[in-house]
Amino acid sequence: MDLELAHGAGAPRKRGESWGAVLLLAYQSLGVVYGDVATSPLYVFKSAFAGDDITHTAGNEEIYGVLSFVFWTLTLISLLKYVLIVLRANDGGEGGTFALYSLICRHVRAGLLPGGGNSEDLMADDKDAAGRRGDRSRARTVLERYRVLQRLLLLFALLGTCMLIGDGVLTPALSVSSAVSGLELSMEKAQHKYVGLPVTCAILICLFALQHYGTHRVGFIFAPIVCIWLLCISMIGLYNIIHWNHHVYRALSPYYMYQFLKKTQKGGWLSLGGILLCVT
């Protein structure tokens, strides 16, 4: 989903048309990205308080502490890591481990794959370094000198790609299976085996069958569903805040994270694994 595709490569774009393309991409991203971000925090509280080591006090400071962890985890990981770092690490708009590996190999003689290292880019970098009186990057010099570092770099690229593929296979299966398990609450236990697995497989087949139409079309299909979902949980959350506890804004303070770990001690540290679910 590139901006150039919306207008044609090399075609002049007006300011209004550019904003329209950005808004279009933002709308499509609702169905691709924010559906996952909006559902992940739902599992946090159940997992964080699953153990018997954490007890609730009258001031609800444990709940504030977990909520503070969720808020700051989403803020630091999603905003600082992805928006400010990951989105800037790209190879001509392409992201991912192999795109970054290709970018490194075009500017450093460290490519172990065929075509690794663009001679024009390397010559330009050498000429630029020579123009600065031989001030070459120390990291580039070390990487070009040691073959073991080049192999380690390739290993990290392959490992990152394998982890992404594994996440892409496991996450939909677990998410759909968890969603379908909600249907079993209204059925008898003897009927569970006829509902859970068959319905999950049918939904997954349909979802993966849509992938070949492209991310932009899939985003268009799911964006309205995600918009309705976000609107509903926002209204429900706002009602619960007003009706039950309008002081929940205190959880925005990192102070409650410290208090949570201080009071719960070992049980609090163990519950941090459940808090990580908000960014999975």
Side-chain angles (χ1 to χ4, degrees):
M1 294 188 298
D2 194 356
L3 288 175
E4 297 292 341
L5 297 178
H7 303 275
R13 296 194 302 268
K14 298 179 180 179
R15 185 176 182 85
E17 293 177 350
S18 178
W19 275 107
V22 171
L23 291 176
L24 178 63
L25 293 176
Y27 175 75
Q28 293 173 350
S29 69
L30 285 174
V32 179
V33 178
Y34 289 95
D36 194 12
V37 175
T39 55
S40 294
L42 297 178
Y43 312 102
V44 173
F45 275 88
K46 181 180 178 181
S47 300
F49 295 106
D52 299 329
D53 299 331
I54 302 177
T55 57
H56 298 284
T57 58
N60 291 326
E61 292 186 352
E62 292 79 14
I63 297 178
Y64 289 166
V66 172
L67 185 57
S68 183
F69 268 110
V70 172
F71 174 79
W72 286 108
T73 301
L74 284 173
T75 301
L76 295 177
I77 298 296
S78 301
L79 178 61
L80 296 183
K81 178 182 177 181
Y82 287 102
V83 176
L84 300 182
I85 299 176
V86 175
L87 290 180
R88 297 174 183 269
N90 65 86
D91 182 13
E94 296 292 333
T97 52
F98 265 108
L100 298 182
Y101 179 75
S102 174
L103 179 64
I104 294 174
C105 291
R106 285 209 309 273
H107 295 276
V108 180
R109 294 181 178 88
L112 298 178
L113 298 178
N118 188 303
S119 58
E120 295 181 358
D121 291 335
L122 290 173
M123 291 176 62
D125 289 343
D126 290 339
K127 187 180 297 184
D128 183 58
R132 296 195 305 268
R133 298 179 181 179
D135 184 21
R136 295 184 55 176
S137 170
R138 182 177 298 179
R140 176 185 173 184
T141 303
V142 173
L143 193 58
E144 290 180 349
R145 179 179 301 176
Y146 297 101
R147 192 76 170 179
V148 63
L149 294 180
Q150 300 174 13
R151 293 173 179 171
L152 191 62
L153 180 64
L154 177 59
L155 178 63
F156 283 151
L158 294 173
L159 182 62
T161 304
C162 292
M163 294 174 66
L164 180 62
I165 294 174
D167 178 71
V169 172
L170 294 176
T171 301
L174 293 175
S175 300
V176 174
S177 178
S178 300
V180 173
S181 63
L183 299 175
E184 299 176 354
L185 297 177
S186 59
M187 299 179 181
E188 297 180 0
K189 189 173 182 180
Q191 298 177 342
H192 289 180
K193 60 181 180 180
Y194 300 110
V195 176
L197 186 59
V199 174
T200 300
C201 293
I203 294 176
L204 288 174
I205 291 173
C206 293
L207 290 177
F208 281 102
L210 293 174
Q211 296 299 316
H212 75 279
Y213 289 107
T215 307
H216 59 293
R217 291 188 177 89
V218 175
F220 260 115
I221 295 174
F222 288 97
I225 301 174
V226 176
C227 287
I228 296 174
W229 162 254
L230 292 175
L231 182 62
C232 289
I233 62 174
S234 298
M235 294 174 62
I236 294 172
L238 184 61
Y239 169 79
N240 286 321
I241 290 174
I242 296 174
H243 187 266
W244 295 106
N245 189 352
H246 58 275
H247 296 295
V248 73
Y249 65 88
R250 297 174 181 173
L252 301 181
S253 172
Y255 167 78
Y256 285 97
M257 292 191 292
Y258 167 74
Q259 285 295 108
F260 174 77
L261 294 177
K262 181 180 179 180
K263 286 188 175 183
T264 57
Q265 297 182 356
K266 182 180 179 181
W269 284 104
L270 294 176
S271 68
L272 294 181
I275 294 172
L276 283 179
L277 289 174
C278 68
V279 289
T280 53

